[in-house]
Amino acid sequence: MSLEIGVVETGTASANDYESVIDSSPDSTALHTLEWREVLRGTLGDPSYYFVCRDRGQPAGVLPAFIRTTGLGAVFNSLPLSGSYGGVCLHSETGKPREVFRALISRALAFAAESRCLTATFIMSPLRTELRGWYIEDVQPDFIYDRVTQFSDLTRPLVYKPSVRNHIRKSYAMGVTHRTEPTAENLDLFYSTYATNMKQIGLAAKPRAFFESIARVMTPRNRARFYFAFADANLVSGLLVLLYRNGVMCHETCFDRAFRAYQGNSHLLDVALKDARDEGFEHFNWGASENRDCGVYRFKQAWGATETGYSYFTRMVGDCSALRRAGAEEILRNFSRLYYVFPFDRLREG
């Protein structure tokens, strides 16, 4: 067979091979980049395995993955961290897209089994939803978790609802300004506000080192950008976007509730959308929402965002009885919310 699969940094595949695929792939996002891998490595402390498929010596497809091992066992994710797409990226010029896709999924599942993983999860990119059938056919998932995300088409005029336009005007009338320099002081304010927001909604915050790593690794290469909204010396809102190829992704927002009236988030999102459009990006990814009835979904809709879907495909590759016995609380204690392990509503089955 002309297809061969290696792993970056093991001597069987190179970073250049990997990057040549994602630089051309219609499936790739900033989350597929090697810079993002460096951020995840520093944040998670887990080993990564970035597979490259070559067709007659030419890179044709890739699949990035991490494995976490705990007392409950190991799990394979492509990719971990809440909101991270992974899965297969295909070179735009490969003549064997179906064969390359199947070879990468097959090798990844075999590798997960060899690594004694309990489950293997592949999170598809929302940029090519037509590949969903290939995932179902090749992963043969035991579980599918469907999610909703929203996009703004930057090749068309931006159309906001009146409420959004009013919020933006109000932010300027109240003297809100913005900065983009990820200085130590600005990052301090950003992280403090973000951590407070997470505590207020009852979720664990990502470590400060995660944001510092993004500022150090990704912003110099224009793979990420921070926006900071100020009213006088007070940070009222913060925004982190990721940039790659033809798209921008909203990765994190935060705001100080004491300054809610200043509409800092609306100010920064308007700036970020217009920056992305003016710099030639074609779409703005608003990220996932829990459902179509939540306030977050309706907020994004008011900015003119339209819906698309993507899915998590999870295959049990080992004996998951330990997970079923452990239950949701123990799984979260071991893997936190950074890895997708097992759908909690199915733990009592089997």
Side-chain angles (χ1 to χ4, degrees):
M1 186 176 182
S2 63
L3 300 181
E4 298 177 351
I5 296 178
V7 180
V8 175
E9 292 190 342
T10 65
T12 57
S14 73
N16 287 340
D17 288 340
Y18 182 90
E19 290 180 330
S20 72
V21 173
I22 64 169
D23 284 348
S24 81
S25 175
D27 317 300
S28 61
T29 69
L31 306 176
H32 291 95
T33 64
L34 295 179
E35 291 90 353
W36 185 249
R37 179 188 62 171
E38 186 173 341
V39 170
L40 291 185
R41 279 175 163 176
T43 301
L44 303 172
D46 298 320
S48 62
Y49 305 92
Y50 278 46
F51 298 92
V52 178
C53 180
R54 292 194 191 92
D55 179 13
R56 302 184 188 278
Q58 297 302 310
V62 301
L63 187 149
F66 276 70
I67 290 179
R68 169 160 288 187
T69 303
T70 74
L72 288 179
V75 298
F76 174 107
N77 271 200
S78 177
L79 278 166
L81 202 73
S82 176
S84 285
Y85 314 128
V88 173
C89 287
L90 298 169
H91 197 291
S92 61
E93 296 181 2
T94 180
K96 302 175 182 176
R98 188 69 187 92
E99 294 90 333
V100 170
F101 186 98
R102 181 179 291 118
L104 283 163
I105 293 292
S106 176
R107 181 68 189 103
L109 287 170
F111 185 83
E114 293 162 7
S115 302
R116 299 185 180 277
C117 292
L118 304 178
T119 63
T121 296
F122 304 86
I123 307 173
M124 66 180 288
S125 167
L127 298 179
R128 270 214 294 177
T129 55
E130 63 268 27
L131 298 184
R132 189 175 192 275
W134 292 6
Y135 279 101
I136 293 173
E137 184 177 341
D138 294 343
V139 177
Q140 297 183 21
D142 294 288
F143 313 106
I144 300 176
Y145 175 33
D146 295 323
R147 302 213 68 188
V148 173
T149 189
Q150 288 155 282
F151 281 75
S152 288
D153 184 349
L154 301 178
T155 66
R156 298 181 178 183
L158 295 170
V159 179
Y160 306 154
K161 286 190 175 180
S163 60
V164 171
R165 295 197 299 271
N166 290 338
H167 290 160
I168 296 168
R169 282 196 293 266
K170 183 177 180 181
S171 75
Y172 283 98
M174 297 187 74
V176 173
T177 59
H178 76 275
R179 307 170 193 168
T180 58
E181 302 84 3
T183 63
E185 181 181 3
N186 287 345
L187 289 175
D188 281 345
L189 294 169
F190 180 98
Y191 188 76
S192 176
T193 304
Y194 158 77
T196 299
N197 285 175
M198 297 301 285
K199 184 177 181 179
Q200 288 165 339
I201 61 177
L203 294 177
K206 298 181 184 75
R208 178 191 175 91
F210 169 76
F211 297 99
E212 292 174 339
S213 181
I214 288 175
R216 184 181 69 256
V217 174
M218 299 188 72
T219 56
R221 297 201 62 189
N222 200 34
R223 297 282 195 256
R225 185 176 300 156
F226 287 89
Y227 291 90
F228 310 94
F230 284 88
D232 296 324
N234 300 300
L235 181 83
V236 299
S237 293
L239 170 66
L240 169 62
V241 298
L242 305 179
L243 311 95
Y244 186 61
R245 294 191 69 241
N246 57 2
V248 175
M249 178 181 180
C250 177
H251 189 72
E252 204 73 66
T253 61
C254 62
F255 70 99
D256 188 329
R257 293 190 179 188
F259 296 95
R260 183 194 298 268
Y262 285 77
Q263 298 296 334
N265 277 358
S266 293
H267 183 104
L268 292 183
L269 287 166
D270 177 55
V271 171
L273 280 161
K274 290 176 178 175
D275 280 352
R277 179 200 60 194
D278 294 345
E279 292 168 24
F281 290 99
E282 296 177 2
H283 65 259
F284 186 93
N285 180 355
W286 289 83
S289 300
E290 285 302 315
N291 55 62
R292 297 175 182 86
D293 298 320
C294 68
V296 173
Y297 182 94
R298 293 192 295 272
F299 174 82
K300 298 169 185 175
Q301 201 173 43
W303 290 76
T306 57
E307 177 188 319
T308 189
Y310 67 104
S311 302
Y312 292 49
F313 304 93
T314 301
R315 171 93 166 263
M316 293 188 291
V317 293
D319 180 359
C320 293
S321 56
L323 295 177
R324 296 185 188 278
R325 289 193 301 269
E329 186 175 336
E330 186 67 9
I331 290 173
L332 284 174
R333 191 181 72 80
N334 278 266
F335 294 98
S336 71
R337 295 184 181 275
L338 302 178
Y339 278 79
Y340 191 81
V341 180
F342 199 97
F344 293 157
D345 61 348
R346 307 290 293 273
L347 282 172
R348 296 184 181 275
E349 298 179 8

